[in-house]
């Protein structure tokens, strides 16, 4: 499945979550129709997922038996009063989880065949042949391409802290597909998933550019962070010392970050897939210090701060919604 195909499925799934919750307006319906008309692929993806949901009604009954007693009682009480919106939300969320499992099964095997990879609760330091170092954290995978002309890291996903050794004859580049990060100095952090690219400068500079010219080249300096969600670029100030210490202590320091972006970063440090409505949760901001080596505690902190509801499905998925 290509990155574009996966994005379409993710967007269609979010629309189905919104519809199943019962909390939508006429404006939302108009936006959905506009989204479906963007291309034949948009409409086809939505209709195929909707048909898939109709064929999976049996999972709604199974979801009640698998839930926490508080959630189970709530669903049964709603059914008894013929107010089914809550049960439809939880049932549909479970089905979205099943869809996501299918999506995951269709992903390329690049990660499993990568030169270097780590799992959710792993941290690893690799010293390269030129004495550059790549510190990996969470679910991370990359291939190494060193030759006489260049030094390149093909990062498929995850989190790396790069400390570049000087070599004037061979530029050092972190390849993220369309986006390239060329080191002009020494130390920086890259966080990369399917939704977001983040580059944080600890020392010196990097040059960031798009192969398909989606934006003009940017020189990122010490104390700056580059954020790109596929559409918009944001440059913000950071504290390099705090960032490096938080990396070393396995902490995520969040200052006024959108909740969906926080979840994106946390997800790579734990084995469960997060299922939620990006449209809804992106409205909430987070200020916190979250332990990356204890994802359950990190999630509890978010639940306490933002009044979130969560439940696990078979140990593979965690459904998250705003209370």
């Amino acid at each position: 499945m290509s990155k574009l195909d996966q994005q379409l499925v993710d967007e269609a799934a979010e629309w189905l979550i919104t519809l199943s919750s019962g909390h939508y307006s006429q404006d939302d319906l108009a936006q959905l129709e506009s989204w479906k008309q963007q291309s034949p692929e948009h409409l086809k993806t939505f209709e195929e997922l909707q048909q898939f949901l109709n064929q999976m009604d049996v999972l709604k009954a199974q979801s009640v038996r698998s839930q926490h007693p508080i959630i189970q009682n709530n669903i049964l009480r709603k059914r008894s009063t013929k107010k089914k919106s809550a049960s439809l939300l939880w049932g549909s969320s479970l089905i979205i989880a099943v869809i996501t499992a299918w999506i995951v099964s269709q992903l390329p095997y690049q990660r499993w065949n990568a030169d270097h990879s780590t799992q959710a609760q792993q941290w690893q330091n690799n010293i390269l042949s030129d004495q550059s170092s790549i510190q990996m954290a969470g679910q991370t995978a990359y291939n190494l391409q060193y030759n006489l002309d260049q030094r390149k890291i093909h990062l498929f996903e995850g989190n790396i802290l790069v400390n570049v050794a000087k070599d004037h004859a061979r530029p050092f580049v972190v390849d993220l597909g369309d986006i390239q990060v060329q080191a002009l100095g020494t130390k920086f952090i890259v966080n990369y998933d399917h939704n977001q690219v983040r580059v944080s400068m600890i020392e010196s500079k990097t040059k960031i550019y798009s192969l398909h010219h989606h934006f003009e080249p940017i020189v990122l300096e010490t104390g700056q962070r580059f954020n790109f969600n596929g559409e918009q670029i944001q440059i913000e100030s950071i504290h390099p010392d705090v960032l490096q210490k938080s990396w070393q202590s396995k902490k995520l320091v969040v200052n006024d970050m959108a909740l969906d972006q926080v979840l994106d970063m946390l997800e790579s440090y734990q084995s469960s897939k997060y299922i939620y409505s990006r449209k809804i949760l992106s409205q909430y901001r987070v200020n916190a210090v979250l332990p990356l080596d204890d994802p359950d505690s990190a999630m509890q902190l978010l639940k306490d701060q933002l009044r979130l509801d969560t439940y696990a499905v078979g140990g593979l998925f965690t459904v998250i919604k705003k209370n």
Side-chain angles (χ1 to χ4, degrees), residues 1 102-117 141-143 156-157:
M1 177 179 288
W102 173 76
I103 295 171
V104 171
S105 71
Q106 300 299 311
L107 291 176
Y109 288 95
Q110 289 176 322
R111 184 176 187 281
W112 295 273
N113 295 324
D115 295 335
H116 300 275
S117 65
Y142 70 85
N143 277 348
F156 301 128
E157 64 175 346

mmCIF file of all heavy atoms in Angstrom, residues 1 102-117 141-143 156-157:
data_model
loop_
_atom_site.group_PDB
_atom_site.id
_atom_site.type_symbol
_atom_site.label_atom_id
_atom_site.label_comp_id
_atom_site.label_asym_id
_atom_site.label_seq_id
_atom_site.Cartn_x
_atom_site.Cartn_y
_atom_site.Cartn_z
ATOM 1 N N MET A 1 0.848 -1.190 0.000
ATOM 2 C CA MET A 1 0.000 0.000 0.000
ATOM 3 C C MET A 1 0.882 1.238 0.000
ATOM 4 O O MET A 1 1.790 1.364 0.806
ATOM 5 C CB MET A 1 -0.900 0.029 1.237
ATOM 6 C CG MET A 1 -1.760 1.275 1.324
ATOM 7 S SD MET A 1 -2.835 1.296 2.785
ATOM 8 C CE MET A 1 -4.006 0.054 2.278
ATOM 9 N N TRP A 102 -5.811 -4.339 9.259
ATOM 10 C CA TRP A 102 -5.691 -4.694 7.841
ATOM 11 C C TRP A 102 -4.706 -3.764 7.138
ATOM 12 O O TRP A 102 -3.884 -4.199 6.335
ATOM 13 C CB TRP A 102 -7.059 -4.622 7.190
ATOM 14 C CG TRP A 102 -7.009 -4.803 5.697
ATOM 15 C CD1 TRP A 102 -6.837 -5.969 5.010
ATOM 16 C CD2 TRP A 102 -7.114 -3.777 4.710
ATOM 17 N NE1 TRP A 102 -6.845 -5.730 3.660
ATOM 18 C CE2 TRP A 102 -7.012 -4.388 3.444
ATOM 19 C CE3 TRP A 102 -7.298 -2.397 4.769
ATOM 20 C CZ2 TRP A 102 -7.076 -3.672 2.266
ATOM 21 C CZ3 TRP A 102 -7.376 -1.681 3.595
ATOM 22 C CH2 TRP A 102 -7.256 -2.318 2.365
ATOM 23 N N ILE A 103 -4.778 -2.455 7.483
ATOM 24 C CA ILE A 103 -3.855 -1.489 6.888
ATOM 25 C C ILE A 103 -2.420 -1.861 7.217
ATOM 26 O O ILE A 103 -1.539 -1.886 6.354
ATOM 27 C CB ILE A 103 -4.164 -0.063 7.398
ATOM 28 C CG1 ILE A 103 -5.543 0.385 6.914
ATOM 29 C CG2 ILE A 103 -3.100 0.920 6.934
ATOM 30 C CD1 ILE A 103 -6.014 1.676 7.548
ATOM 31 N N VAL A 104 -2.186 -2.158 8.496
ATOM 32 C CA VAL A 104 -0.840 -2.515 8.928
ATOM 33 C C VAL A 104 -0.334 -3.732 8.177
ATOM 34 O O VAL A 104 0.832 -3.817 7.798
ATOM 35 C CB VAL A 104 -0.815 -2.757 10.446
ATOM 36 C CG1 VAL A 104 0.523 -3.341 10.883
ATOM 37 C CG2 VAL A 104 -1.097 -1.461 11.194
ATOM 38 N N SER A 105 -1.223 -4.698 7.945
ATOM 39 C CA SER A 105 -0.809 -5.920 7.257
ATOM 40 C C SER A 105 -0.420 -5.655 5.803
ATOM 41 O O SER A 105 0.261 -6.469 5.186
ATOM 42 C CB SER A 105 -1.932 -6.958 7.303
ATOM 43 O OG SER A 105 -3.028 -6.573 6.462
ATOM 44 N N GLN A 106 -0.866 -4.501 5.261
ATOM 45 C CA GLN A 106 -0.568 -4.180 3.874
ATOM 46 C C GLN A 106 0.685 -3.316 3.719
ATOM 47 O O GLN A 106 1.095 -3.023 2.601
ATOM 48 C CB GLN A 106 -1.768 -3.427 3.249
ATOM 49 C CG GLN A 106 -3.063 -4.214 3.253
ATOM 50 C CD GLN A 106 -2.963 -5.494 2.454
ATOM 51 O OE1 GLN A 106 -2.505 -5.477 1.321
ATOM 52 N NE2 GLN A 106 -3.398 -6.597 3.043
ATOM 53 N N LEU A 107 1.285 -2.895 4.825
ATOM 54 C CA LEU A 107 2.435 -2.004 4.726
ATOM 55 C C LEU A 107 3.635 -2.727 4.124
ATOM 56 O O LEU A 107 3.771 -3.948 4.256
ATOM 57 C CB LEU A 107 2.799 -1.466 6.114
ATOM 58 C CG LEU A 107 1.799 -0.494 6.734
ATOM 59 C CD1 LEU A 107 2.256 -0.128 8.148
ATOM 60 C CD2 LEU A 107 1.619 0.755 5.889
ATOM 61 N N PRO A 108 4.567 -1.966 3.491
ATOM 62 C CA PRO A 108 5.780 -2.585 2.943
ATOM 63 C C PRO A 108 6.615 -3.220 4.055
ATOM 64 O O PRO A 108 6.506 -2.876 5.227
ATOM 65 C CB PRO A 108 6.519 -1.387 2.309
ATOM 66 C CG PRO A 108 5.480 -0.347 2.115
ATOM 67 C CD PRO A 108 4.491 -0.531 3.206
ATOM 68 N N TYR A 109 7.493 -4.112 3.664
ATOM 69 C CA TYR A 109 8.319 -4.812 4.639
ATOM 70 C C TYR A 109 9.670 -4.124 4.829
ATOM 71 O O TYR A 109 10.622 -4.753 5.294
ATOM 72 C CB TYR A 109 8.525 -6.255 4.184
ATOM 73 C CG TYR A 109 7.285 -7.094 4.330
ATOM 74 C CD1 TYR A 109 6.426 -7.270 3.256
ATOM 75 C CD2 TYR A 109 6.977 -7.701 5.542
ATOM 76 C CE1 TYR A 109 5.277 -8.042 3.385
ATOM 77 C CE2 TYR A 109 5.832 -8.474 5.692
ATOM 78 C CZ TYR A 109 4.988 -8.636 4.605
ATOM 79 O OH TYR A 109 3.857 -9.385 4.740
ATOM 80 N N GLN A 110 9.751 -2.833 4.480
ATOM 81 C CA GLN A 110 11.015 -2.118 4.599
ATOM 82 C C GLN A 110 11.546 -2.151 6.021
ATOM 83 O O GLN A 110 12.734 -2.348 6.255
ATOM 84 C CB GLN A 110 10.839 -0.664 4.143
ATOM 85 C CG GLN A 110 10.649 -0.519 2.647
ATOM 86 C CD GLN A 110 10.372 0.922 2.256
ATOM 87 O OE1 GLN A 110 9.687 1.647 2.953
ATOM 88 N NE2 GLN A 110 10.923 1.326 1.139
ATOM 89 N N ARG A 111 10.639 -1.943 6.972
ATOM 90 C CA ARG A 111 11.097 -1.875 8.356
ATOM 91 C C ARG A 111 11.728 -3.193 8.808
ATOM 92 O O ARG A 111 12.762 -3.210 9.476
ATOM 93 C CB ARG A 111 9.937 -1.508 9.277
ATOM 94 C CG ARG A 111 10.356 -1.319 10.718
ATOM 95 C CD ARG A 111 9.205 -0.866 11.593
ATOM 96 N NE ARG A 111 9.695 -0.547 12.907
ATOM 97 C CZ ARG A 111 9.971 -1.448 13.840
ATOM 98 N NH1 ARG A 111 9.757 -2.726 13.575
ATOM 99 N NH2 ARG A 111 10.442 -1.092 15.011
ATOM 100 N N TRP A 112 11.097 -4.285 8.435
ATOM 101 C CA TRP A 112 11.589 -5.591 8.874
ATOM 102 C C TRP A 112 12.881 -5.991 8.173
ATOM 103 O O TRP A 112 13.609 -6.835 8.666
ATOM 104 C CB TRP A 112 10.505 -6.642 8.675
ATOM 105 C CG TRP A 112 9.335 -6.368 9.565
ATOM 106 C CD1 TRP A 112 9.168 -6.782 10.863
ATOM 107 C CD2 TRP A 112 8.184 -5.604 9.244
ATOM 108 N NE1 TRP A 112 7.978 -6.307 11.369
ATOM 109 C CE2 TRP A 112 7.346 -5.586 10.391
ATOM 110 C CE3 TRP A 112 7.762 -4.907 8.101
ATOM 111 C CZ2 TRP A 112 6.120 -4.923 10.428
ATOM 112 C CZ3 TRP A 112 6.534 -4.241 8.135
ATOM 113 C CH2 TRP A 112 5.738 -4.261 9.290
ATOM 114 N N ASN A 113 13.129 -5.392 7.016
ATOM 115 C CA ASN A 113 14.339 -5.713 6.269
ATOM 116 C C ASN A 113 15.402 -4.633 6.381
ATOM 117 O O ASN A 113 16.407 -4.674 5.665
ATOM 118 C CB ASN A 113 13.995 -5.925 4.788
ATOM 119 C CG ASN A 113 13.106 -7.139 4.578
ATOM 120 O OD1 ASN A 113 13.252 -8.144 5.267
ATOM 121 N ND2 ASN A 113 12.181 -7.043 3.627
ATOM 122 N N ALA A 114 15.203 -3.661 7.271
ATOM 123 C CA ALA A 114 16.122 -2.535 7.391
ATOM 124 C C ALA A 114 17.477 -2.983 7.935
ATOM 125 O O ALA A 114 17.593 -3.984 8.655
ATOM 126 C CB ALA A 114 15.517 -1.465 8.299
ATOM 127 N N ASP A 115 18.517 -2.203 7.602
ATOM 128 C CA ASP A 115 19.856 -2.493 8.119
ATOM 129 C C ASP A 115 19.892 -2.392 9.640
ATOM 130 O O ASP A 115 20.571 -3.187 10.303
ATOM 131 C CB ASP A 115 20.871 -1.514 7.522
ATOM 132 C CG ASP A 115 21.029 -1.666 6.022
ATOM 133 O OD1 ASP A 115 20.762 -2.772 5.512
ATOM 134 O OD2 ASP A 115 21.412 -0.684 5.360
ATOM 135 N N HIS A 116 19.162 -1.415 10.182
ATOM 136 C CA HIS A 116 19.122 -1.210 11.629
ATOM 137 C C HIS A 116 17.680 -0.931 12.042
ATOM 138 O O HIS A 116 16.987 -0.136 11.400
ATOM 139 C CB HIS A 116 20.013 -0.037 12.047
ATOM 140 C CG HIS A 116 21.451 -0.209 11.682
ATOM 141 N ND1 HIS A 116 22.346 -0.904 12.469
ATOM 142 C CD2 HIS A 116 22.146 0.221 10.595
ATOM 143 C CE1 HIS A 116 23.537 -0.896 11.897
ATOM 144 N NE2 HIS A 116 23.446 -0.218 10.762
ATOM 145 N N SER A 117 17.226 -1.566 13.104
ATOM 146 C CA SER A 117 15.869 -1.324 13.587
ATOM 147 C C SER A 117 15.784 -1.583 15.082
ATOM 148 O O SER A 117 16.568 -2.363 15.634
ATOM 149 C CB SER A 117 14.847 -2.200 12.841
ATOM 150 O OG SER A 117 15.075 -3.571 13.113
ATOM 151 N N ALA A 141 13.617 2.515 12.174
ATOM 152 C CA ALA A 141 14.286 1.669 11.181
ATOM 153 C C ALA A 141 14.938 2.549 10.122
ATOM 154 O O ALA A 141 14.341 3.533 9.663
ATOM 155 C CB ALA A 141 13.292 0.718 10.529
ATOM 156 N N TYR A 142 16.162 2.173 9.746
ATOM 157 C CA TYR A 142 16.831 2.905 8.672
ATOM 158 C C TYR A 142 17.798 1.998 7.926
ATOM 159 O O TYR A 142 18.282 0.995 8.454
ATOM 160 C CB TYR A 142 17.555 4.151 9.198
ATOM 161 C CG TYR A 142 18.792 3.901 10.037
ATOM 162 C CD1 TYR A 142 20.039 3.701 9.444
ATOM 163 C CD2 TYR A 142 18.729 3.885 11.425
ATOM 164 C CE1 TYR A 142 21.178 3.484 10.203
ATOM 165 C CE2 TYR A 142 19.859 3.669 12.202
ATOM 166 C CZ TYR A 142 21.081 3.472 11.579
ATOM 167 O OH TYR A 142 22.211 3.252 12.334
ATOM 168 N N ASN A 143 18.074 2.381 6.687
ATOM 169 C CA ASN A 143 19.114 1.760 5.884
ATOM 170 C C ASN A 143 20.284 2.713 5.759
ATOM 171 O O ASN A 143 20.114 3.945 5.784
ATOM 172 C CB ASN A 143 18.605 1.392 4.491
ATOM 173 C CG ASN A 143 17.876 0.056 4.476
ATOM 174 O OD1 ASN A 143 17.928 -0.705 5.442
ATOM 175 N ND2 ASN A 143 17.190 -0.237 3.387
ATOM 176 N N PHE A 156 13.113 5.113 7.533
ATOM 177 C CA PHE A 156 11.768 4.670 7.179
ATOM 178 C C PHE A 156 10.731 5.159 8.182
ATOM 179 O O PHE A 156 9.605 5.489 7.809
ATOM 180 C CB PHE A 156 11.717 3.146 7.078
ATOM 181 C CG PHE A 156 12.659 2.586 6.060
ATOM 182 C CD1 PHE A 156 13.554 1.582 6.393
ATOM 183 C CD2 PHE A 156 12.659 3.068 4.760
ATOM 184 C CE1 PHE A 156 14.432 1.066 5.453
ATOM 185 C CE2 PHE A 156 13.524 2.555 3.809
ATOM 186 C CZ PHE A 156 14.416 1.549 4.157
ATOM 187 N N GLU A 157 11.107 5.196 9.452
ATOM 188 C CA GLU A 157 10.222 5.664 10.509
ATOM 189 C C GLU A 157 11.017 5.782 11.789
ATOM 190 O O GLU A 157 12.103 5.218 11.926
ATOM 191 C CB GLU A 157 9.056 4.687 10.737
ATOM 192 C CG GLU A 157 9.503 3.322 11.236
ATOM 193 C CD GLU A 157 8.347 2.398 11.587
ATOM 194 O OE1 GLU A 157 7.212 2.891 11.690
ATOM 195 O OE2 GLU A 157 8.598 1.191 11.763
#
